[in-house]
Amino acid sequence: MHDFNQKPDLNITPLVDVMLVLLAILMVTAPVIEFEEPINLPKGSRTQQAQDTQKIDLIITKDRIVSLNKVQKIEIEKFPDNFLLFSNGKDQTTPIYIRADKELKYDDIMFVLKSVKEAGFLKVALVTDG
């Protein structure tokens, strides 16, 4: 017969074993998990032909002269006003590529970049070698 006055034994060994196995699995898999940044990728289509898109090339020489589409040459101090006149009526989604001499100061490049952004263009890229 069963004695109801006896206190029950609590065996936690299986619980500890399961927790240690789960901890080991977590320690092995945690470094493998990578964070993914959500980005909007362009949708491709096999039915459309590739089109030549218009682009604007800005080349800044070490003499602080900005060449606009290899046609206009502008001093860097006069660039914001001349670029506003040039971009008047242009599509704001036109990509702009800025190439700069590596001898330039960082401030000069950021001045040109800021001027382009203030003109309303958002697709701006800095081009580098290699």
Side-chain angles (χ1 to χ4, degrees):
M1 201 129 175
H2 186 66
D3 184 14
F4 289 102
N5 292 330
Q6 184 181 14
K7 291 187 178 183
D9 290 334
L10 193 60
N11 188 4
I12 62 167
T13 304
L15 178 65
V16 172
D17 288 345
V18 169
M19 292 306 293
L20 286 175
V21 168
L22 290 176
L23 180 65
I25 292 172
L26 180 68
M27 288 173 59
V28 169
T29 59
V32 178
I33 298 173
E34 294 180 10
F35 176 75
E36 293 185 18
E37 182 72 29
I39 57 173
N40 294 326
L41 294 176
K43 295 188 177 175
S45 173
R46 293 181 185 190
T47 60
Q48 292 181 347
Q49 296 292 328
Q51 300 174 2
D52 285 339
T53 59
Q54 295 292 332
K55 64 178 181 168
I56 299 172
D57 284 321
L58 299 176
I59 300 171
I60 311 169
T61 64
K62 63 182 175 183
D63 301 327
R64 300 180 72 212
I65 302 292
V66 180
S67 174
L68 190 57
N69 275 346
K70 298 180 182 178
V71 177
Q72 286 182 312
K73 299 210 183 293
I74 307 164
E75 293 178 17
I76 201 164
E77 291 83 15
K78 299 176 184 174
F79 176 74
D81 295 331
N82 287 326
F83 187 73
L84 278 174
L85 291 173
F86 171 79
S87 65
N88 203 6
K90 298 249 192 261
D91 186 12
Q92 300 291 316
T93 61
T94 303
I96 297 178
Y97 298 105
I98 300 175
R99 300 171 195 270
D101 192 275
K102 69 179 181 179
E103 302 296 322
L104 279 172
K105 289 183 182 178
Y106 182 75
D107 291 338
D108 294 335
I109 300 167
M110 288 300 106
F111 178 74
V112 171
L113 181 62
K114 181 183 72 123
S115 302
V116 169
K117 294 275 187 172
E118 286 176 350
F121 291 90
L122 299 176
K123 293 184 176 182
V124 182
L126 298 173
V127 180
T128 61
D129 286 334

